[in-house]
Amino acid sequence: MDDVLPVGFSSPVYDSASWVELRRRYAEWVEAHGYRYIETPVVEYTELFRRTAGETSDIVSKEMYTFEDAGGRSLSLRPEGSASVCRAVLEHGLAASGTGLKFYYVAPMFRAERPQRGRYRQHTQLGLEIFKETDPTADAEVIAVLHGFFRRIGLDQLTVHINSVGSPACRPAYRETLLAYLRTHADRLSEDSQRRLETNPMRVLDSKDPRDADIVAGAPVMIDHLDDECRAHFDGLQAALRAVGVPFTINPRLVRGLDYYAKTAFEVTCESLDGAIKVIGGGGRYDGLIEQLGGPATPAVGFGSGIERVLLALESQGIRLAEPRAPRAAVLYLDDSARTDAFALAMRLRAAGIETDYSYKPRGFSKQLQAAAKAGVRFAILVGGDEWARGEVVLKDLRERTQDALHPDALIPRLT
RNA sequence: GCGGGUGUAGCUCAGUUGGUUAGAGCACCGGAUUGUGGAUCCGGGGGUCGGGGGUUCAAGUCCCCUCAUCCGCCCCA
């Protein structure tokens, strides 16, 4: 049977040790910044994503795994994280419980699209969200935490792109200005961009089609049409990023795929990766999202970052977060009559926190020793024979090539 | 969702104009070695040839469909 939702299990992404280490380092990093873990369901009512991401967004219109439950209600596997977190925060009354609500998650996301390198039907996002804070230092914090995490795990060649996509107060007027401009050049736009003209005109600015390049270059951009509030917020964001030493570039044509963004939008790209998968993290502010769900007006800002792409980025720069673990010890039996005793001793050592190998099936002693050496085990403990009859085991240091006999109770201090 | 490349052992791959029982290297297991090292030598287990259908006396090989994977789009992390 094949995987229903391939998750990129080919190396280097499926490197168990690095995977675990990345998650551990992320949790440690964001906990130090005051974020708390939140777990939300993998499946939600389809309505949630329709109302938040937007009916016309690609994610909702063609990329969701949607099905009916036994009661005929439409469910979807979550395609992104923010909507679920907002729903949970709203449902459990957290939005009313104070300020400074900061959550993080590490969770699988699902999108029914054509898999490629760095793009999978199931991928895992590291994410976080701050609720109820409107100050641009909150936006700057989110960006700085993401950028800082990437730097901390050793990534280089990072670019932070920021933009403001305006607010419901100033975006509609800009949208009309942009639309008017684009329509005068509509006949020269690429087919894709002519389609975007109808669905999401701001997306034309993001076009990679060379035919659109000169038209896009002359197009009006949102940051020249911000109202006073959005302008002040964008200026405040830049000042805050400078204050914490996060380098950034303003990209007036940066547009995000979901409808719910307001003011800040950002992406972090890694220049050692190619094409679309350079984007290893992105996010922004979505002040209207909780209100769209029927809750109180609740400002929010956050990001999502795909673990698989981060691991590809690390790999492209020759960075390994962790080497595969080798067991510390192996308990070997000299003959089969000592096998059960060896098993019992291995379990004692494991209970004491020492990773210990043991061969479940009968094998010759020499084979056991070979296997231990090959696995990179440091200490072999020999059970059986004359020493065992005297109540002792042989402790063998495979690296130093030394050995001595001792009582089993004296093992643990020698192994730690 | 669109266009193209590739699917043979756990991994990397070979397999002739269609022809008998599908191979190699690495890995794994066993023996040489009834109590001491990753080597060496010898031996062994492993395959719905991605899946389904078709053409044929005969299909890993040809045709169709499908699934997966890789690359490029749309779009995204």
Side-chain angles (χ1 to χ4, degrees):
Chain A
M1 295 276 280
D2 296 320
D3 290 330
V4 175
L5 302 168
V7 290
F9 267 170
S10 56
S11 65
V13 168
Y14 187 53
D15 168 356
S16 171
S18 291
W19 183 276
V20 170
E21 179 64 8
L22 183 73
R23 295 175 65 132
R24 192 191 67 74
R25 303 257 292 258
Y26 178 69
E28 179 182 85
W29 179 246
V30 298
E31 293 261 358
H33 287 82
Y35 296 80
R36 294 294 175 258
Y37 184 75
I38 186 168
E39 178 102 18
T40 62
V42 232
V43 65
E44 299 274 359
Y45 291 118
T46 303
E47 180 65 13
L48 173 68
F49 303 115
R50 270 211 284 267
R51 280 164 66 175
T52 57
E55 198 76 52
T56 59
S57 68
D58 279 54
I59 280 183
V60 168
S61 62
K62 63 176 190 182
E63 292 178 357
M64 284 205 299
Y65 281 102
T66 298
F67 51 94
E68 281 190 2
D69 70 5
R73 290 171 298 191
S74 180
L75 305 179
S76 291
L77 298 180
R78 68 176 163 219
E80 58 95 25
S82 295
S84 298
V85 175
C86 286
R87 185 202 53 70
V89 162
L90 178 59
E91 176 181 344
H92 299 293
L94 299 173
S97 68
T99 57
L101 291 165
K102 294 160 65 162
F103 299 101
Y104 76 97
Y105 56 85
V106 180
M109 305 295 164
F110 305 85
R111 293 180 196 170
E113 56 186 352
R114 190 77 152 224
Q116 291 179 27
R117 178 178 169 83
R119 203 183 63 179
Y120 309 101
R121 288 181 181 163
Q122 175 174 342
H123 73 281
T124 309
Q125 279 191 25
L126 309 170
L128 56 75
E129 329 274 354
I130 301 179
F131 293 100
K132 300 186 77 168
E133 301 296 346
T134 57
D135 194 78
T137 51
D139 307 50
E141 176 177 313
V142 163
I143 294 169
V145 168
L146 179 61
H147 180 259
F149 175 63
F150 289 153
R151 294 289 300 158
R152 194 178 178 82
I153 60 177
L155 277 179
D156 225 329
Q157 302 177 59
L158 299 167
T159 310
V160 176
H161 305 262
I162 65 168
N163 191 22
S164 176
V165 296
S167 70
C170 58
R171 191 161 48 201
Y174 162 71
R175 194 175 181 279
E176 290 310 312
T177 305
L178 175 65
L179 211 45
Y181 168 83
L182 292 175
R183 282 196 172 121
T184 64
H185 302 283
D187 53 326
R188 285 165 49 217
L189 287 169
S190 65
E191 299 78 15
D192 280 334
S193 287
Q194 293 193 27
R195 182 176 46 74
R196 293 184 185 109
L197 211 52
E198 305 308 319
T199 55
N200 190 345
M202 288 176 74
R203 205 153 260 308
V204 174
L205 300 177
D206 207 26
S207 171
K208 286 143 217 136
D209 194 309
R211 288 172 293 175
D212 297 333
D214 57 323
I215 300 170
V216 167
V221 294
M222 185 71 239
I223 52 172
D224 293 333
H225 295 77
L226 296 174
D227 62 20
D228 291 346
E229 185 192 330
C230 290
R231 180 78 247 167
H233 190 272
F234 193 48
D235 291 343
L237 169 65
Q238 292 171 55
L241 286 174
R242 284 191 199 97
V244 291
V246 174
F248 61 89
T249 65
I250 295 172
N251 179 352
R253 286 183 267 282
L254 171 65
V255 180
R256 306 237 74 222
L258 304 172
D259 288 357
Y260 54 59
Y261 284 101
K263 295 178 181 165
T264 306
F266 68 92
E267 289 181 351
V268 179
T269 56
C270 180
E271 309 310 321
S272 58
L273 292 175
D274 297 318
I277 69 165
K278 289 168 79 153
V279 182
I280 56 175
R285 178 167 280 280
Y286 39 94
D287 289 348
L289 207 161
I290 288 186
E291 207 169 0
Q292 279 179 58
L293 296 178
T298 308
V301 57
F303 71 69
S305 170
I307 290 186
E308 294 80 359
R309 285 190 185 174
V310 173
L311 289 173
L312 286 171
L314 288 166
E315 199 264 344
S316 74
Q317 296 183 16
I319 301 165
R320 288 191 65 122
L321 288 184
E323 297 304 320
R325 279 180 68 90
R328 181 72 173 163
V331 179
L332 316 183
Y333 43 88
L334 289 168
D335 54 80
D336 200 54
S337 67
R339 203 154 65 84
T340 306
D341 292 332
F343 170 64
L345 180 56
M347 290 299 280
R348 272 178 65 191
L349 297 178
R350 290 167 175 174
I354 299 160
E355 185 180 346
T356 305
D357 262 3
Y358 154 79
S359 174
Y360 298 98
K361 64 183 172 190
R363 295 177 98 186
F365 172 72
S366 178
K367 290 290 184 189
Q368 294 178 62
L369 188 58
Q370 272 183 36
K374 197 166 184 178
V377 167
R378 173 73 188 276
F379 296 103
I381 295 118
L382 284 47
V383 175
D386 300 339
E387 294 87 348
W388 189 242
R390 290 200 307 269
E392 289 185 331
V393 294
V394 175
L395 174 62
K396 186 175 172 61
D397 184 325
L398 297 188
R399 194 172 73 194
E400 304 299 325
R401 292 178 176 265
T402 58
Q403 67 179 52
D404 61 300
L406 73 173
H407 192 274
D409 291 345
L411 271 176
I412 289 167
R414 295 281 301 274
L415 297 175
T416 47

